């Protein structure tokens, strides 16, 4: 699969002209385009990327089609095969071709679940799928990205439009039928079958993705599923779905502003790729 860029330079420039970086954002973006994209996302939804204060510094990563090495102060070691990236709680930004100024985001959810680190447009490094909980507190026991990979949730599925999302995934990776208190939640009704990847999208995620943009999330790569995860020290029933770039969670018991959230996939990916928090 070829790497799909997320947001065009023109879109980034439009966001830069129409919004301003919040006063509490630290000036530590690894490239100007990263700051512009961060600001544009935060204007669409709170905690779209995660605080700049918790972001990692920019770093070079191998990428076959990268045009040159790059740092915060400019080009370093000109040559093929490197690109500048910066990790945020919720995603990763990438600058593969500084001369073009195109900022992209990685297919992090796909890589974590399939165990394939993308090192070029069509090149990958094979690893074990990530044994990291997909949602909840850091000490949550699961389910993990690896559990999703080993389940039927990734299989192409016929449309269940107008039906409730009824699958569940236990902490140990067992797929079952949800029998919790939110069986009749109107936002858990399937409202958009994904023709491209053949997965079903519930109303909560369909509406949210329409608001923030398909490009920032990608297509669904799993069926939605309920799971009991520990959030803020409390067990909660959460509806979860993996997309190409992000993981979305819907927690009916949360306040309205926090019912739909992005998973901390930037944190999870960095831990998996570098074996360190």
């Amino acid at each position: 699969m070829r790497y799909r860029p997320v947001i065009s330079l023109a879109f980034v420039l439009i966001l830069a002209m129409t919004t301003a970086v919040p006063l509490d954002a630290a000036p530590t973006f690894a490239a100007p385009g990263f700051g512009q994209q961060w600001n544009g996302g935060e204007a669409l939804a709170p905690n779209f990327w995660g605080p700049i204060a918790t972001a990692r510094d920019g770093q070079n990563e191998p990428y076959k089609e990268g045009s040159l090495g790059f740092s915060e102060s400019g080009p370093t070691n000109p040559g093929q095969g490197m690109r500048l990236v910066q990790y945020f709680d919720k995603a990763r930004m990438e600058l593969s071709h500084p001369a073009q100024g195109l900022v992209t985001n990685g297919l992090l959810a796909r890589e974590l679940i399939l165990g394939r680190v993308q090192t070029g447009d069509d090149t990958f490094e094979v690893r074990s799928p990530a044994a990291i909980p997909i949602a909840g507190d850091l000490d949550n026991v699961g389910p993990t990205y690896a559990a999703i990979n080993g389940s039927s949730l990734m299989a192409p599925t016929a449309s269940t439009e107008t039906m409730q999302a009824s699958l569940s995934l236990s902490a140990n990776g067992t797929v079952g039928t949800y029998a919790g208190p939110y069986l009749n939640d109107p936002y858990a009704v399937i409202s958009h079958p994904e023709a491209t990847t053949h997965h079903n999208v519930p109303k909560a995620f369909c509406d949210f993705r329409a608001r923030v943009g398909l490009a920032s999330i990608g297509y669904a790569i799993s069926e939605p599923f309920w799971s009991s995860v520990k959030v803020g020290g409390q067990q909660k029933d959460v509806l979860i779905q993996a997309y190409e770039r992000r993981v979305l969670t819907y927690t009916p018991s949360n306040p309205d502003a926090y019912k739909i959230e992005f998973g901390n996939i930037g944190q999870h990916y960095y831990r998996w790729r570098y074996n360190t928090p």
Side-chain angles (χ1 to χ4, degrees):
M1 174 180 289
R2 290 192 63 81
Y3 193 88
R4 287 197 283 274
V6 175
I7 301 179
S8 68
L9 177 60
F11 179 62
V12 169
L13 292 176
I14 290 172
L15 291 175
M17 291 186 290
T18 57
T19 57
V21 175
L23 294 178
D24 60 351
T28 55
F29 294 105
F34 291 177
Q36 293 162 0
Q37 192 176 111
W38 184 92
N39 187 55
E42 293 295 317
L44 293 172
N47 212 22
F48 192 96
W49 302 102
I52 181 58
T54 61
R56 292 195 62 85
D57 292 335
Q59 64 188 74
N60 291 323
E61 284 185 346
Y63 196 78
K64 184 178 179 180
E65 286 78 18
S67 60
L68 48 80
F70 204 76
S71 71
E72 294 180 30
S73 59
T76 60
N77 302 321
Q80 298 292 324
M82 298 292 286
R83 66 177 176 184
L84 176 69
V85 304
Q86 188 167 18
Y87 286 90
F88 299 84
D89 286 351
K90 310 294 184 180
R92 178 182 69 198
M93 295 186 192
E94 308 149 349
L95 188 61
S96 301
H97 304 285
Q100 298 177 11
L102 179 65
V103 177
T104 59
N105 302 149
L107 302 168
L108 301 191
R110 181 177 290 278
E111 292 184 35
L112 285 161
I113 292 171
L114 298 181
R116 284 157 51 93
V117 175
Q118 189 154 17
T119 57
D121 289 352
D122 296 296
T123 56
F124 300 87
E125 175 189 330
V126 178
R127 297 191 179 190
S128 297
I132 296 173
I134 194 170
D137 297 345
L138 289 175
D139 61 348
N140 195 58
V141 296
T144 65
Y145 294 93
I148 295 174
N149 180 43
S151 74
S152 59
L153 296 169
M154 298 286 288
T157 306
S159 171
T160 59
E161 190 171 5
T162 74
M163 299 174 63
Q164 287 280 326
S166 59
L167 295 175
S168 66
L169 187 65
S170 69
N172 64 10
T174 301
V175 176
T177 301
Y178 179 66
Y182 304 111
L183 280 174
N184 296 313
D185 190 307
Y187 290 97
V189 172
I190 301 301
S191 65
H192 182 75
E194 203 93 281
T196 302
T197 54
H198 304 289
H199 288 292
N200 293 284
V201 179
K203 178 175 172 56
F205 300 151
C206 184
D207 291 352
F208 182 78
R209 191 172 59 171
R211 178 160 64 89
V212 304
L214 171 67
S216 62
I217 295 174
Y219 293 109
I221 59 173
S222 81
E223 286 297 288
F225 60 90
W226 291 95
S227 191
S228 176
V229 299
K230 187 167 69 170
V231 182
Q234 298 180 347
Q235 289 296 133
K236 296 185 177 183
D237 283 7
V238 180
L239 184 63
I240 304 169
Q241 188 162 29
Y243 294 79
E244 293 174 302
R245 305 182 189 282
R246 305 274 193 131
V247 169
L248 291 182
T249 63
Y250 169 60
T251 310
S253 60
N254 278 0
D256 287 345
Y258 301 100
K259 288 184 185 295
I260 303 172
E261 299 177 291
F262 289 118
N264 289 324
I265 201 166
Q267 291 183 11
H268 299 164
Y269 184 90
Y270 192 90
R271 179 185 294 271
W272 173 66
R273 180 162 180 165
Y274 295 104
N275 197 30
T276 183

